[in-house]
Amino acid sequence: LLSRANYAPSLLQVMAAELVEHFYNRPMPANATLPVIIDETMVRDALMNKDILDKVTRQFFISIEHDRRYLLLANVIASGDLSRAASGEYTEGMTIGEVHHEAQSFWASMFGGIDGLALVEDAVDEMEGLGLIRRVGDDRWALRSPSIRRLLGSRETIERRLEGFLSAPPTKDLDFRQN
């Protein structure tokens, strides 16, 4: 349960509330006695419930879309992981230079220019603090867990989301170049 929610309090809260509701609304056999034991299989089945997954995913995006830089960079890192895995290469994570290169290719108005690398470095540090990504070795960054990758969606969804940044204006309140 904790790893599925990436240890994020807001996701744990949604997931726990949905699990309680799921089990509360579940029909009980006539011969059932209290207390009813909820076993691992029941929890696993509930966690595969589309309604529960949708609510947890919505909560995740409410959190990550608060700062669109996080949304872009998480998708850049996920896309890089998927591309490397598809080509048979598996080097975990991306260097800050690789993240910056991809970020500026999708959101040039935000991450292009001489300050772009600094903006990526700042956002990556913040994302590590939020538990979205983790440092791998001395110079690479990866998504914190497979749960985050799953929450971001399919390869096609990730690519579509990245393409949505191609014409996006910079986030003015976070881009010191605009102040």
Side-chain angles (χ1 to χ4, degrees), residues 24-109:
Y24 182 78
N25 292 328
R26 187 181 178 134
M28 288 187 41
N31 62 349
T33 59
L34 296 177
V36 174
I37 305 299
I38 298 172
D39 63 23
E40 187 176 332
T41 303
M42 293 167 70
V43 172
R44 193 174 308 119
D45 290 346
L47 290 175
M48 298 307 292
N49 179 292
K50 184 176 176 358
D51 292 335
I52 293 173
L53 291 174
D54 287 348
K55 287 180 181 175
V56 170
T57 300
R58 274 194 304 276
Q59 182 61 43
F60 171 74
F61 279 101
I62 287 170
S63 301
I64 198 171
E65 287 178 340
H66 178 71
D67 186 332
R68 296 199 38 87
R69 298 174 307 158
Y70 302 161
L71 182 63
L72 174 84
L73 297 177
N75 280 277
V76 159
I77 293 170
S79 177
D81 286 347
L82 291 168
S83 294
R84 284 188 304 282
S87 69
E89 173 197 348
Y90 195 76
T91 303
E92 191 175 20
M94 299 172 75
T95 66
I96 199 74
E98 292 168 335
V99 174
H100 174 245
H101 175 75
E102 291 299 312
Q104 73 178 0
S105 73
F106 287 106
W107 199 2
S109 64

Side-chain angles (χ1 to χ4, degrees), residues 3-7 60 78 81-82 90 92 131-132 134 142-153 158:
S3 65
R4 279 288 179 104
N6 197 44
Y7 293 85
F60 171 74
D81 286 347
L82 291 168
Y90 195 76
E92 191 175 20
L132 295 172
R134 61 188 167 82
L143 295 176
R144 179 173 177 191
S145 71
S147 296
I148 291 180
R149 223 309 284 126
R150 280 191 297 272
L151 289 168
L152 289 170
I158 290 168

Side-chain angles (χ1 to χ4, degrees), residues 127-174:
M127 291 171 71
E128 180 184 29
L130 293 169
L132 295 172
I133 62 174
R134 61 188 167 82
R135 186 181 299 267
V136 180
D138 290 336
D139 66 342
R140 300 186 79 77
W141 295 93
L143 295 176
R144 179 173 177 191
S145 71
S147 296
I148 291 180
R149 223 309 284 126
R150 280 191 297 272
L151 289 168
L152 289 170
S154 68
R155 180 181 187 88
E156 294 76 24
T157 300
I158 290 168
E159 295 301 325
R160 239 185 347 265
R161 196 174 294 121
L162 287 170
E163 289 169 5
F165 281 93
L166 288 171
S167 60
T171 304
K172 288 182 175 48
D173 59 335
L174 299 171

